[in-house]
Structure formats: C-alpha cells, structure tokens
C-alpha cells in the first residue's frame, strides 16, 4: 500500500524513476523496464485512485474487484528470490507494469478486507490531496502526515480562539492625508 500511495501521490516521470522507486520498495524486476511499463503503471494508478475516491463501500469493492479480475492470477507460493516463501498473485514473467497492477490490486484488497473498507483515503486537510492507507490501531487516521495533522490543529485552534463577530482589518498603508 505504501508503494501505491507513493506512486499515486508523486507520479514517476520516466522509467528510470519508476525503476528506482520500485527497487527501493523491494519489488523484484525480472525483465527490463520499458515505456510500456510506465504507461501501464499510470493506468493502474488511475484505476486505483477511483478506488480511493469511491463514494461508498459497495462502489469501492466493485471498482477493486474489476482491478482484481484484470490483474490477479491464482495465488501461488514462491521463493523466487531466495528470501523466503511468500504468495504471488501474478503469473511468472510479467512486465513491471503488470506486476504493479497485481501488487496494487491485491495489496489493496488485503488491506481493506483485513483492516476495514474505509482504511484508504485522502488527507482531510483541504489543500492536501495526498492518499494514505490507514494503518493506525484505531482506524481513525485522518491525515497523511504529522505535518498536516499539526497544520489542521493550528487552524482549528485559531478558529476557536479568534474573536467572534470581528473582522480583522489590515493597517492603513500608503494613506494620504
């Protein structure tokens, strides 16, 4: 989920950046990365953002099920990297773009099924559009980062403590007598 949010919040500009960010996230690159992989990645991010922005749980599930039908193969155990057995939900030999489609679709489904259908959202700060997966214990995370949480807390504090009924006026500047 972190890779999906990272890629959606800051789209990769080219295949070099896509490759670097996937490697940093631990994604195994079995084939050379091409422009088609970047295009496919941008497609999955567009589809995924619709899941993020869905109006209700049923719409979210429907959109995610479409992604799963397009991307996922039957689950299988693998130790292809020699780092331990794990599940793959994709066929062997797929391009990076197709791998990311599967990873994002299945990862999102597992996250939402395990933690709750509302645990994927955008930051509540009006001017912030960052996407995040709520991994908090209580499931009440509202902000993408501590910075946005602090910004909103300051805004709410100022709104509570501002004098009521008074409009602040700017000092007269350049007034001619």
């Amino acid at each position: 989920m972190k890779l999906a949010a990272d890629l959606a919040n800051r789209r990769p500009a080219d295949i070099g950046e896509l490759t670097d960010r996937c490697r940093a996230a631990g994604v195994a690159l079995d084939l050379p990365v091409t422009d088609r992989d970047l295009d496919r990645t941008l497609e999955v991010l567009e589809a995924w953002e619709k899941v993020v922005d869905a109006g209700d749980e049923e719409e979210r599930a429907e959109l995610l099920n479409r992604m799963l039908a397009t991307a996922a193969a039957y689950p299988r155990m693998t130790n292809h990297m020699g780092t331990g057995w794990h599940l793959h939900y994709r066929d062997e030999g797929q391009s990076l773009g197709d791998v990311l489609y599967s990873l994002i679709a299945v990862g999102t489904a597992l996250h939402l099924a395990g933690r709750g259908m509302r645990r994927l959202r955008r930051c509540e700060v009006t001017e912030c559009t960052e996407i995040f997966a709520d991994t908090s214990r209580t499931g009440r995370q509202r902000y993408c980062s501590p910075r946005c949480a602090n910004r909103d807390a300051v805004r709410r504090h100022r709104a509570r403590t501002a004098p009521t009924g008074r409009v602040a006026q700017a000092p007269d500047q350049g007034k001619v007598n």
Side-chain angles (χ1 to χ4, degrees):
M1 294 295 301
K2 285 184 179 183
L3 178 59
D6 177 58
L7 292 172
N9 291 330
R10 191 173 50 90
R11 302 286 166 98
D14 55 43
I15 60 174
E17 181 183 348
L18 176 62
T19 301
D20 292 344
R21 289 170 66 191
C22 287
R23 278 193 180 124
V27 176
L29 304 177
D30 298 329
L31 301 172
V33 180
T34 67
D35 287 332
R36 184 194 175 286
D37 292 312
L38 180 61
D39 293 341
R40 183 73 166 143
T41 300
L42 297 176
E43 286 174 23
V44 69
L45 295 173
E46 290 295 323
W48 190 68
E49 281 198 57
K50 289 177 184 171
V51 172
V52 171
D53 295 331
D56 59 36
E57 292 180 10
E58 288 76 22
E59 180 186 6
R60 179 170 276 175
E62 180 183 327
L63 292 168
L64 189 51
N65 282 335
R66 283 189 213 152
M67 287 182 71
L68 288 166
T70 301
Y74 67 90
R76 60 181 62 93
M77 296 292 295
T78 183
N79 186 16
H80 66 98
M81 296 177 61
T83 57
W85 290 97
H86 58 278
L87 280 175
H88 269 202
Y89 291 87
R90 63 181 188 264
D91 294 323
E92 297 299 320
Q94 286 188 311
S95 67
L96 177 61
D98 291 337
V99 166
L100 288 175
Y101 206 107
S102 295
L103 286 175
I104 291 171
V106 172
T108 300
L110 291 171
H111 176 77
L112 296 177
R115 293 187 176 260
M117 289 296 284
R118 293 188 177 101
R119 293 243 190 163
L120 181 63
R121 63 179 67 103
R122 291 189 187 268
C123 185
E124 284 192 18
V125 171
T126 305
E127 60 273 9
C128 182
T129 60
E130 297 286 304
I131 297 169
F132 66 92
D134 182 355
T135 58
S136 68
R137 185 180 58 80
T138 61
R140 295 185 178 160
Q141 183 177 342
R142 297 171 40 205
Y143 306 101
C144 67
S145 66
R147 179 177 176 226
C148 278
N150 291 338
R151 181 186 310 160
D152 200 45
V154 167
R155 183 179 294 145
R156 285 182 282 127
H157 172 75
R158 287 180 179 159
R160 277 193 315 273
T161 60
T164 57
R166 293 180 53 200
V167 176
Q169 293 181 346
D172 292 338
Q173 292 182 359
K175 186 175 181 181
V176 177
N177 289 326

